[in-house]
Amino acid sequence: MKAKILREKYPKFVYNSFDFKLKKEGLEICFDFKIEPDIQFSPKVLIGGINEKEVKRVGERVLKNLIFNLGMIEALSYWKATCSPKIEILAGDLNKEQIRWWRNLIFKGMGQFFFENKINFLERNFLKIESFGEKFERFEGKLNENKILVPVGGGKDSIVTIEYLKKMKKDLILFCLNPNENQKKIIKISEIKNKVFVKREIDKKLLELNQMGFLNGHTPFTAY
């Protein structure tokens, strides 16, 4: 479908809310997105290994802030289906500076998507972002500079990074999103015990829209 038609038919994308709960496997997060008037999404993310002690350590309001922002980047995968001219944020609060930051991420991080779908994102009033939600707390504690989270993508860059940091005697935690066999092999060979596996579950409705000809393409997912 043409972007212009979809933008007219679906004028607003809404990030309604998020919810989370501790399970045996870790922290399960569910987001509530809607493309008005009638398309609903409920994607899920499971962060493995999170327990009640760790939630208490950062505090619930700080955790909510982290989850809220995770939902912001998750939302782009669903917003892009219609490229609605307005994004309304009800799940949390964004100030003017933060709204500018997210607009900048969208415009500079989704260039391939705009190009492939012949979308002129430079046109006036292309995208308006409004926020009406609750304000959460930022993490203000000190980080352990010797402890490093290393994303494992499954290629040689991950291996080189891990081995380099091991030689520097750093305390490593390996991070994988929807780990495949290559990633698991790298982790096993590294002999590093601390790891965080994240399972991201895409709402099937988005896949159905893709099959129906709604917009699809690259999003700045490394911002995850």
Side-chain angles (χ1 to χ4, degrees), residues 4 8 13-14 20 34 51 54 66 70 73 78 109 115 127 129 133-134 141 172 186 189 196 202 207 220:
K4 184 178 180 181
E8 290 174 354
F13 177 93
V14 185
F20 64 93
K34 183 178 182 180
N51 54 42
E54 290 173 323
L66 295 171
L70 187 65
I73 192 63
Y78 296 85
F115 175 77
L127 177 63
I129 301 176
E134 178 184 357
L172 304 185
I186 290 172
I189 293 170
V196 176
I202 298 173
L207 304 179

Side-chain angles (χ1 to χ4, degrees), residues 122-134:
L122 297 176
E123 69 180 27
R124 190 175 182 182
N125 300 321
F126 173 77
L127 177 63
K128 184 176 184 180
I129 301 176
E130 292 184 329
S131 174
F132 304 99
E134 178 184 357

Side-chain angles (χ1 to χ4, degrees), residues 175-221:
F175 173 87
C176 284
L177 177 64
N178 290 349
N180 57 35
E181 289 305 312
N182 283 342
Q183 291 168 305
K184 291 176 181 178
K185 285 180 182 177
I186 290 172
I187 290 174
K188 184 178 180 180
I189 293 170
S190 74
E191 298 183 341
I192 294 172
K193 303 301 181 184
N194 293 331
K195 55 186 178 292
V196 176
F197 284 172
V198 176
K199 180 182 178 183
R200 177 180 177 241
E201 185 178 316
I202 298 173
D203 192 305
K204 292 180 180 179
K205 182 65 178 177
L206 180 62
L207 304 179
E208 292 173 5
L209 294 180
N210 292 343
Q211 293 295 319
M212 293 166 60
F214 280 65
L215 303 177
N216 195 10
H218 172 78
T219 58
F221 203 70

Side-chain angles (χ1 to χ4, degrees), residues 7 79 84-87 103 106-107 125-129:
R7 283 169 59 80
W79 168 77
S84 303
K86 184 176 181 180
I87 297 177
R103 280 175 57 87
I106 292 169
F107 291 161
N125 300 321
F126 173 77
L127 177 63
K128 184 176 184 180
I129 301 176

Side-chain angles (χ1 to χ4, degrees), residues 2 15 32 34 60-61 64-65 69 81 96 137 140 147 168 170 176 182 184 188 191 214 217 220 222:
K2 294 285 187 179
Y15 176 5
D32 181 3
K34 183 178 182 180
E60 187 170 298
R61 288 188 59 79
K64 285 183 177 180
N65 186 50
N69 281 283
K96 290 182 179 180
E137 295 177 17
E140 301 291 350
K147 186 175 287 188
M168 294 179 66
K170 297 294 184 180
C176 284
N182 283 342
K184 291 176 181 178
K188 184 178 180 180
E191 298 183 341
F214 280 65
T222 49

Side-chain angles (χ1 to χ4, degrees), residues 1-223:
M1 294 186 196
K2 294 285 187 179
K4 184 178 180 181
I5 296 172
L6 289 169
R7 283 169 59 80
E8 290 174 354
K9 186 175 181 179
Y10 302 100
K12 184 164 67 173
F13 177 93
V14 185
Y15 176 5
N16 279 311
S17 63
F18 60 82
D19 193 16
F20 64 93
K21 60 182 176 181
L22 281 170
K23 302 180 74 173
K24 183 179 179 181
E25 302 88 349
L27 184 69
E28 183 182 71
I29 302 165
C30 184
F31 300 106
D32 181 3
F33 304 140
K34 183 178 182 180
I35 298 176
E36 293 192 349
D38 56 4
I39 304 176
Q40 198 81 30
F41 303 108
S42 299
K44 293 181 180 180
V45 175
L46 177 67
I47 304 176
I50 302 296
N51 54 42
E52 188 173 354
K53 180 181 178 181
E54 290 173 323
V55 171
K56 287 182 178 179
R57 181 175 62 85
V58 299
E60 187 170 298
R61 288 188 59 79
V62 171
L63 178 63
K64 285 183 177 180
N65 186 50
L66 295 171
I67 294 173
F68 165 63
N69 281 283
L70 187 65
M72 285 295 300
I73 192 63
E74 180 75 34
L76 299 186
S77 294
Y78 296 85
W79 168 77
K80 77 174 190 290
T82 56
C83 206
S84 303
K86 184 176 181 180
I87 297 177
E88 185 173 274
I89 312 298
L90 304 180
D93 176 70
L94 295 175
N95 59 34
K96 290 182 179 180
E97 182 181 354
Q98 290 168 324
I99 288 175
R100 281 196 297 270
W101 189 92
W102 282 105
R103 280 175 57 87
N104 187 58
L105 179 71
I106 292 169
F107 291 161
K108 293 187 176 181
M110 297 186 68
Q112 180 180 335
F113 165 77
F114 294 137
F115 175 77
E116 291 176 348
N117 289 283
K118 298 180 174 58
I119 298 171
N120 179 16
F121 65 95
L122 297 176
E123 69 180 27
R124 190 175 182 182
N125 300 321
F126 173 77
L127 177 63
K128 184 176 184 180
I129 301 176
E130 292 184 329
S131 174
F132 304 99
E134 178 184 357
K135 189 174 183 62
F136 303 116
E137 295 177 17
R138 294 174 56 186
F139 178 72
E140 301 291 350
K142 284 189 175 182
L143 297 176
N144 184 341
E145 294 183 1
N146 196 55
K147 186 175 287 188
I148 299 176
L149 186 69
V150 181
V152 179
K156 60 184 178 181
D157 290 348
S158 301
I159 299 170
V160 172
T161 301
I162 291 169
E163 293 305 312
Y164 175 75
L165 292 172
K166 281 169 67 177
K167 289 179 181 178
M168 294 179 66
K169 307 298 182 184
K170 297 294 184 180
D171 184 7
L172 304 185
I173 303 172
L174 304 185
F175 173 87
C176 284
L177 177 64
N178 290 349
N180 57 35
E181 289 305 312
N182 283 342
Q183 291 168 305
K184 291 176 181 178
K185 285 180 182 177
I186 290 172
I187 290 174
K188 184 178 180 180
I189 293 170
S190 74
E191 298 183 341
I192 294 172
K193 303 301 181 184
N194 293 331
K195 55 186 178 292
V196 176
F197 284 172
V198 176
K199 180 182 178 183
R200 177 180 177 241
E201 185 178 316
I202 298 173
D203 192 305
K204 292 180 180 179
K205 182 65 178 177
L206 180 62
L207 304 179
E208 292 173 5
L209 294 180
N210 292 343
Q211 293 295 319
M212 293 166 60
F214 280 65
L215 303 177
N216 195 10
H218 172 78
T219 58
F221 203 70
T222 49

